[in-house]
Amino acid sequence: MGMSNRPVTVDDVAKHAGVSTGTVSRVINNAPHVSGKARAAVERAIDQLGYVPNKTAQSLAGQRRGSVVLAISSDDPGLFANLFFAQVVTGVNAVVEETDLELQLVLAASDRGRARLSRIFRARAADGVMLLALKENDPLSALAESSGVPVVHGGRSLDSEPRYYVDADNRGGAREAVEYLISSGRRRIATITGGQDQHVGVARYLGYREAVVLAGLDDSRVAHADFSEAGGAAAMTSLLDRSPDLDAVFVASDAMAAGALSVLAARGIAVPSDVAVVGFNDIVTAQHTTPALTTVRQPIDALGREMTRMLLRLIDGDTPTSLILPTSLVVRESA
Amino acid sequence: MGMSNRPVTVDDVAKHAGVSTGTVSRVINNAPHVSGKARAAVERAIDQLGYVPNKTAQSLAGQRRGSVVLAISSDDPGLFANLFFAQVVTGVNAVVEETDLELQLVLAASDRGRARLSRIFRARAADGVMLLALKENDPLSALAESSGVPVVHGGRSLDSEPRYYVDADNRGGAREAVEYLISSGRRRIATITGGQDQHVGVARYLGYREAVVLAGLDDSRVAHADFSEAGGAAAMTSLLDRSPDLDAVFVASDAMAAGALSVLAARGIAVPSDVAVVGFNDIVTAQHTTPALTTVRQPIDALGREMTRMLLRLIDGDTPTSLILPTSLVVRESA
DNA sequence: TACAGTTTTGGAAGCGCTTCCAATTTTGGC
DNA sequence: GCCAAAATTGGAAGCGCTTCCAAAACTGTA
């Protein structure tokens, strides 16, 4: 059992099976043009010798890399980033696992990580790359494009729509959330937005406006924030000062919603009876806020899965179409 | 700029610089025995041609893989697992990034993942492997051992201590937590344990006993559970029924502590005035429980970092010693 | 200037596989 | 039982790099 020092090679297998290396290779890759007899002999030899193909050699000879990389460039060390990360990886892995590709991870927030990614593109050192949470206008995006390496983006950026991407339906989710508020009788609906320099920030704001305007309601109760809890609190304060009559607020992230809730609580405003609150993301703490937060959930593992499927198709030479994944409203107590 | 179809190779660089491929290789790997003149010429050529070495070819020729794998076999999809996961990866990446190794990820909870890992061992397809959260008595452990591939374990198992591992000081952390309870005047201290079929479960229980016995207190207030919130609740109930006089409880995980807290609240027992509660892990929700949970924090990213450092040393042929990382008590409101 | 010792260099032989081409064997139709 | 067509096979030529060895170019000293 593999006690020998020198690993078993195709030549050993060929010799042992009494065929040529070419035939062994054909069997390994179950290519056509192999007689049943030869195949059986080779398979027996492989078994007896405990042969495992050397992937490096396969790659070199076969002109493919045998690996895809998942690059995550979020430098946000926050809870959401972490969980998001883990779930995406899970989804990606589930699909990669079905192939015989390796999954390489690159955390591209640091300079070293970015350099690494750049090298991968320049050297075509992977069969494909999934790019997650790239900053707006990231130079890596252009490099990726020009390298010829298949690339799938997770999420979009404001400046330019990637050729291939998977994204959550941020606008639709926001719209649905607000429509829910409207259907439950709210009429003076405010919103706290995330950074308007990011696609998700804008998309969720647009979804809010769409719903509010369509219902013929006032869309002027807007406070811009930055996705942070503190920002959410500040925005809620400003909203309350400007429009004390509001009866609902759609908040573009759960973290901001948590900030908003604490301001509401501090002012003695009851949720949801006085003011209904809806968040976005469905982070874990959403269940633990007081009251538990009604929010919009993104299908994060599906995002990972679909990105990977798309990448595989791209590697196969297909031309997939970008995808927008539906969100779902999770109704708890706050609305 | 790389518009050519055929990628640039050492031969191109050699020709362009007027030297041999051997010399180019020596420059790339900055090996000795290269004149300044030759080095300069090669570097210029590399620059002008935009040459990036082909890692696959380097691996094949150099008899090294150029990659390490991080294998995670936890099939626990829970919050803690996710966050743990993300933090370990972050720590691992931080160290791997400093080398020119690639980081390959294998989720070994599924059969396919396990098969993949097995293949990696049998084919020596990585320079080293980090094994996280392997189940007790996992056959992969034996395979890893016999393969000759350097392996570092994260955490220990009950049945056999791995040759090289990094673990958190579960016993010490538990002991410190209980000593804190004692020092704040508690005398009738109970514990809710995690699964006693896992090393962490046993270690934390041992830490509890150590502290309690050393202080000459009664160590009989024990309820065994399974690290789950529901299990924690059930255990708390049983504890309260058996020993209504208890004035503190050390709970071996935050999830169980959350369950315990809800039981306490339901019975109208005030925390911490009537009963003090300490958890373990410092998951995010620990800050959001009512009251906020005092708990023991593990240095998870350090775990990742130290595992990686240890693996690198192993790959270099050194003989590191296993490591136990200190935990720290995070005092909040519940104790 | 010559010579032994040192450093640098070129070039070829792999690393373990795939793939192509030509050679061989098999097949099937008459 | 013969022949062309089809299927199978062996073997060699790479894939792009490292490394080893021998050859070449230096170095300094006598």
Side-chain angles (χ1 to χ4, degrees):
Chain A
M1 266 274 219
M3 279 299 96
S4 102
N5 229 344
R6 194 179 59 71
V8 182
T9 71
V10 265
D11 291 281
D12 300 324
V13 175
K15 210 151 295 165
H16 194 273
V19 299
S20 72
T21 64
T23 301
V24 173
S25 175
R26 280 171 214 122
V27 172
I28 293 170
N29 303 291
N30 51 77
H33 303 311
V34 182
S35 66
K37 196 169 61 112
R39 182 178 303 279
V42 170
E43 275 164 354
R44 194 174 332 112
I46 288 178
D47 242 44
Q48 294 179 0
L49 268 41
Y51 169 71
V52 186
N54 179 323
K55 210 153 188 172
T56 306
Q58 287 184 311
S59 299
L60 218 216
Q63 301 289 58
R64 31 188 147 62
R65 305 296 125 235
S67 68
V68 293
V69 355
L70 172 60
I72 304 186
S73 75
S74 164
D75 44 3
D76 171 4
L79 168 63
F80 178 63
N82 283 344
L83 279 177
F84 184 83
F85 168 78
Q87 289 186 56
V88 168
V89 169
T90 303
V92 166
N93 179 75
V95 177
V96 169
E97 219 172 52
E98 315 253 281
T99 72
D100 62 346
L101 292 163
E102 290 171 358
L103 176 56
Q104 187 188 339
L105 202 65
V106 176
L107 266 40
S110 71
D111 282 346
R112 303 199 71 123
R114 301 175 61 77
R116 202 165 262 247
L117 205 49
S118 154
R119 200 200 63 80
I120 288 172
F121 284 127
R122 282 179 296 133
R124 288 180 177 63
D127 289 321
V129 175
M130 288 171 273
L131 241 33
L132 210 61
L134 223 51
K135 291 187 210 92
E136 301 288 329
N137 237 321
D138 194 305
L140 276 177
S141 197
L143 181 59
E145 209 62 43
S146 75
S147 72
V149 176
V151 173
V152 170
H153 291 254
R156 281 168 284 179
S157 49
L158 231 37
D159 43 304
S160 68
E161 177 155 299
R163 179 74 187 81
Y164 301 103
Y165 68 83
V166 181
D167 199 0
D169 187 5
N170 286 302
R171 193 165 105 198
R175 183 174 154 168
E176 187 190 358
V178 175
E179 282 169 347
Y180 175 76
L181 289 172
I182 295 170
S183 76
S184 55
R186 310 292 169 160
R187 288 297 173 268
R188 292 175 305 280
I189 304 172
T191 188
I192 296 176
T193 76
Q196 294 297 298
D197 53 345
Q198 297 169 55
H199 188 274
V200 300
V202 173
R204 291 176 190 175
Y205 176 41
L206 251 44
Y208 158 83
R209 286 196 49 194
E210 217 168 282
V212 167
V213 170
L214 239 57
L217 302 175
D218 179 10
D219 69 344
S220 70
R221 295 182 179 84
V222 178
H224 293 299
D226 60 353
F227 283 124
S228 77
E229 181 162 349
M236 189 72 243
T237 303
S238 129
L239 235 29
L240 250 19
D241 291 350
R242 278 186 286 148
S243 319
D245 63 334
L246 59 84
D247 62 4
V249 47
F250 165 68
V251 192
S253 84
D254 289 350
M256 294 195 296
L261 283 178
S262 60
V263 168
L264 256 9
R267 296 215 181 181
I269 299 175
V271 176
S273 52
D274 294 340
V275 171
V277 176
V278 180
F280 210 115
N281 287 344
D282 195 25
I283 64 175
V284 198
T285 39
Q287 328 175 23
H288 296 292
T289 53
T290 319
L293 192 63
T294 291
T295 186
V296 180
R297 174 184 298 161
Q298 307 187 62
I300 305 182
D301 52 341
L303 183 79
R305 258 181 283 123
E306 294 305 334
M307 283 179 72
T308 313
R309 292 217 181 93
M310 191 172 290
L311 186 62
L312 293 181
R313 258 175 287 165
L314 229 34
I315 291 174
D316 280 352
D318 289 3
T319 306
T321 52
S322 292
L323 221 53
I324 295 190
L325 302 174
T327 58
S328 56
L329 189 67
V330 179
V331 178
R332 296 209 179 84
E333 305 162 3
S334 70
Chain B
M1 267 272 214
M3 280 299 95
S4 104
N5 229 344
R6 194 178 59 68
V8 182
T9 72
V10 265
D11 291 280
D12 300 326
V13 175
K15 210 151 294 168
H16 195 273
V19 299
S20 72
T21 63
T23 301
V24 173
S25 176
R26 279 171 216 122
V27 171
I28 292 170
N29 303 291
N30 51 75
H33 305 309
V34 182
S35 67
K37 197 168 62 112
R39 181 177 304 280
V42 170
E43 276 165 354
R44 196 176 328 112
I46 287 178
D47 241 44
Q48 293 179 358
L49 266 41
Y51 170 71
V52 186
N54 179 321
K55 210 152 188 173
T56 306
Q58 287 184 310
S59 299
L60 219 216
Q63 302 289 58
R64 29 186 149 63
R65 305 295 124 234
S67 68
V68 293
V69 356
L70 172 60
I72 305 186
S73 74
S74 165
D75 44 4
D76 171 4
L79 168 64
F80 178 63
N82 284 345
L83 279 176
F84 185 83
F85 169 77
Q87 289 185 55
V88 168
V89 169
T90 304
V92 167
N93 179 74
V95 178
V96 169
E97 219 171 51
E98 315 252 284
T99 71
D100 63 347
L101 292 164
E102 290 173 357
L103 176 57
Q104 187 188 338
L105 202 64
V106 175
L107 267 40
S110 70
D111 282 346
R112 303 199 71 122
R114 300 176 61 79
R116 202 165 264 247
L117 205 49
S118 153
R119 201 199 63 79
I120 288 172
F121 283 127
R122 283 179 295 134
R124 288 179 175 65
D127 290 320
V129 175
M130 288 172 273
L131 241 34
L132 211 61
L134 221 52
K135 292 187 209 90
E136 302 288 329
N137 237 320
D138 195 306
L140 275 177
S141 198
L143 182 59
E145 209 62 43
S146 74
S147 72
V149 176
V151 172
V152 170
H153 291 253
R156 281 168 285 178
S157 48
L158 231 37
D159 44 303
S160 68
E161 178 155 298
R163 179 75 188 80
Y164 301 103
Y165 68 83
V166 181
D167 199 0
D169 187 5
N170 286 301
R171 193 165 106 197
R175 183 174 155 165
E176 187 189 359
V178 175
E179 281 169 348
Y180 175 77
L181 289 171
I182 295 171
S183 77
S184 55
R186 310 290 168 162
R187 289 297 173 268
R188 293 175 304 281
I189 304 173
T191 189
I192 297 176
T193 76
Q196 293 297 299
D197 53 345
Q198 297 169 56
H199 187 274
V200 301
V202 172
R204 290 177 190 174
Y205 176 42
L206 252 44
Y208 158 83
R209 287 195 48 194
E210 217 169 283
V212 167
V213 170
L214 239 59
L217 301 176
D218 179 10
D219 69 344
S220 70
R221 296 182 180 84
V222 178
H224 294 298
D226 60 352
F227 284 124
S228 77
E229 182 162 348
M236 190 71 242
T237 303
S238 129
L239 234 29
L240 249 19
D241 291 349
R242 277 187 286 149
S243 318
D245 63 333
L246 59 84
D247 61 4
V249 46
F250 164 67
V251 192
S253 84
D254 289 351
M256 293 195 296
L261 283 179
S262 59
V263 168
L264 257 8
R267 298 214 179 181
I269 300 174
V271 177
S273 50
D274 294 339
V275 172
V277 176
V278 180
F280 210 116
N281 287 344
D282 196 24
I283 64 175
V284 198
T285 39
Q287 328 174 24
H288 295 293
T289 54
T290 319
L293 192 64
T294 291
T295 187
V296 181
R297 175 184 298 162
Q298 307 186 65
I300 306 183
D301 52 341
L303 183 80
R305 258 181 282 123
E306 294 306 334
M307 284 179 72
T308 314
R309 291 216 182 94
M310 192 173 289
L311 185 61
L312 294 181
R313 256 174 289 162
L314 229 36
I315 291 173
D316 281 351
D318 290 3
T319 306
T321 53
S322 292
L323 220 54
I324 295 190
L325 302 174
T327 58
S328 56
L329 189 67
V330 179
V331 178
R332 296 210 178 85
E333 304 161 5
S334 70

